[in-house]
Amino acid sequence: MKTILSAAALALSLGVSSTAMAAPVKIGMITTLSGGGAGLGVDTRDGFMLAIKRAGNEDVTVVIEDDAQKPEMAVQLADKMIQQENVDILTGIVWSNLLMAVQPGAVAQGKFYVSTNAAPAPLAGKGCSPLYFNAAYQNDNLHEAMGQYANEAHKKMFILAPNYPAGKDSLTGFKRYFKGEVVSEIYTKLGQTDYAAEIAQIRASGADGVFMFLPGGMGIAFMKQFAQSGVETPVMGPGFSFSQDVLPAIGDAALGVKNSGQWSHDLDNEANKTFVDAFKAEYNRLPSIYAMQGYDAAQMILSAAAKADVKDTDAFRAELLKADFQSPRGKFKFNTNQHPIQDIYVREVVKEGDTYTNKIVGTAFTDHGDAYAQDCKM
Amino acid sequence: MTAALAIEQLLNGLQLGVMLFLMAAGLTLIFGVMGLINLAHGSLYMVGAFACAAVASLTGSFWLGLIASLAAAAAAGAIIEVLVIRRLYSRDHLDQVLATFALILIFSEGTRWVFGSFPLYLNIPSILQGAVSLPGGVQYPAYRLAVIAAGGLIALGLAALITRTRLGIRIRAGENDREMIGALGVDIRTLYTVVFALGAALAGLAGALVGALQSVQVGMGEPVLILAFVVIVIGGIGSIKGAFLAALLVGVVDTMGRFLLPHLLATVLPPSEAGTIGGSASSMLIYIMMAFILAFRPRGLFAA
């Protein structure tokens, strides 16, 4: 009785109604909480836990572990969570190479995987699975949006990305929609922090625009060095390179840069206002795109768990597919390969007071799916 | 390809080289004098960068930040020497690797605990903002030029310190025969602490100088540490001159490889494949070079 009362009190104090669950759900979150990529994992976790906390339901438990951005570590953690902790759903992995290592084992053992970020092409196409959902996007999407946007003002683009699966997806996605000429296509080492050699080539290339996909510290380094190089070519990139977690460290060098996102904190809808205010109140900073994706993954799981028992795989999957939740992105539904169909926006980096952030300046795609759905046979 | 591009890339290679030298100098001194493999050298680089970013954002002055980076890294170096490293000199290399690896983890998580998981902001001072025009139509960032100059001056200063001062004599003596200089009445414990703190200060300075160009974040030291080890192995362990020349060699070969290999491959392959293969091949280049050099000179170019 005491616990029920305190749970009720907690729900009241949070000002949200707690939804009854059909059955208890145990979620295993594997994400990057240490090392250079930790900022992304921390935001994923904080966004996810915000939704869980707001739901205020004691039938949901979340186990969180740090993968240190290492594939072998992620695989070990996934095995441990499935075999010892008996989790029903896995989530949280930031990096595509880690997800490629974890996802096949997880779905083979009959566990759901709901991705909060990583969305490599193979898992959206031939390797799709009824148990694998992506709450974020397909890796190519934001890059496709910049390809589409670049058509407006650019004829000759210089493009670069790190040499790993998501980097290849990135440049492939960009080229799928860009109609002009790609004067140079460069793959840099993952984790590289000095871009002087690449910037010199941009200067010499005669390109009228630069598209770069360099998440985390790589993007910070690139933008700072680019600003000092005296090269005036405009830079654009997907939202990850100019997300809330890195903007303060880039500073003025990022101002005016165009980037794409399926969400922005200034998107005008009720669910987004609730999310941004709650996140700021809880963590005292602006949410990044990763935080939003974590939040939506949790909302999605909660919405399905309210209606179906997670042990009843078919029923739970049917509820997940409905995507019956209010996403801060506004519209959201699932494609046949269980990846989102959503709008993708063009954003610009601005300074609001002392805070560097993004503002929506246009829409690149409406109801955009991905190029791999047709290869997915379920 | 134009001459201007080639000159710019050469300068980029030199700049990477002098930064690697600042890291490698401390590493090679510590190995040469004390016989210690210090994996935590990258953490001292990170400490320097964080100290510089923190002080620069508090005071608004990059220069005070630079001084803070030297002081903080030297202090951190002296403290870990006294508390941990001192106990490792008589142990074998495996124990040293284990203990200094533990130090990396402690430094990384400690830094995250103090500064948080998100990268810090550190910009270059306003006097060195922007690019300058060099002869031959080359536009080059002023800050990188200043870094090359600073690195060169520090190399000269270090050479003078080693060859012309009493401390230098003791360091060289320590490299030759540890027991003997102890027997001659030199306070070997203090000498070790001083050498360790000096190496740490150089790493911290490198961290601060590079932090302004790149991002100041947890774990930034480890990739540089690997390159610095390549440098001291090529240069000959314990040799400052070897470290300097090997650092420039590694810097120039790495930069030129990243730039030229994809270009060369593009003459025979489609551009997208040339980019992928060239990118992978160029990141192996310095290791291939190291293997070649060691095949002919197993103790490095300037073995002590």
Side-chain angles (χ1 to χ4, degrees), chain A residues 47-49 51-52 114 116 293-303:
Chain A
F48 194 92
M49 292 315 289
I52 298 286
V114 178
T116 52
Q293 291 166 180
Y295 182 78
D296 267 6
Q299 286 206 89
M300 197 177 110
I301 294 170
L302 289 165
S303 76

Side-chain angles (χ1 to χ4, degrees), chain A residues 320-338:
Chain A
L320 280 176
L321 262 179
K322 286 182 191 160
D324 182 21
F325 62 95
Q326 295 299 313
S327 171
R329 315 168 223 203
K331 291 185 294 180
F332 181 96
K333 65 179 180 200
F334 277 117
N335 206 341
T336 50
N337 61 349
Q338 304 181 164

Side-chain angles (χ1 to χ4, degrees), chain A residues 152-188:
Chain A
E152 284 177 19
H154 301 281
K155 302 242 172 329
K156 295 165 76 176
M157 290 294 292
F158 189 105
I159 63 178
L160 78 160
N163 199 355
Y164 82 123
K168 305 222 169 85
D169 285 356
S170 159
L171 298 192
T172 311
F174 181 86
K175 289 189 294 184
R176 187 172 294 133
Y177 282 87
F178 181 59
K179 304 218 168 46
E181 181 197 353
V182 172
V183 293
S184 188
E185 179 175 347
I186 288 188
Y187 288 99
T188 57

Side-chain angles (χ1 to χ4, degrees), chain A residues 143-157 174 177-180 208-211 236 346 364:
Chain A
H143 315 286
E144 291 171 344
M146 283 334 279
Q148 177 79 349
Y149 169 78
N151 287 329
E152 284 177 19
H154 301 281
K155 302 242 172 329
K156 295 165 76 176
M157 290 294 292
F174 181 86
Y177 282 87
F178 181 59
K179 304 218 168 46
D208 62 8
V210 178
F211 169 81
M236 62 179 80
V346 178

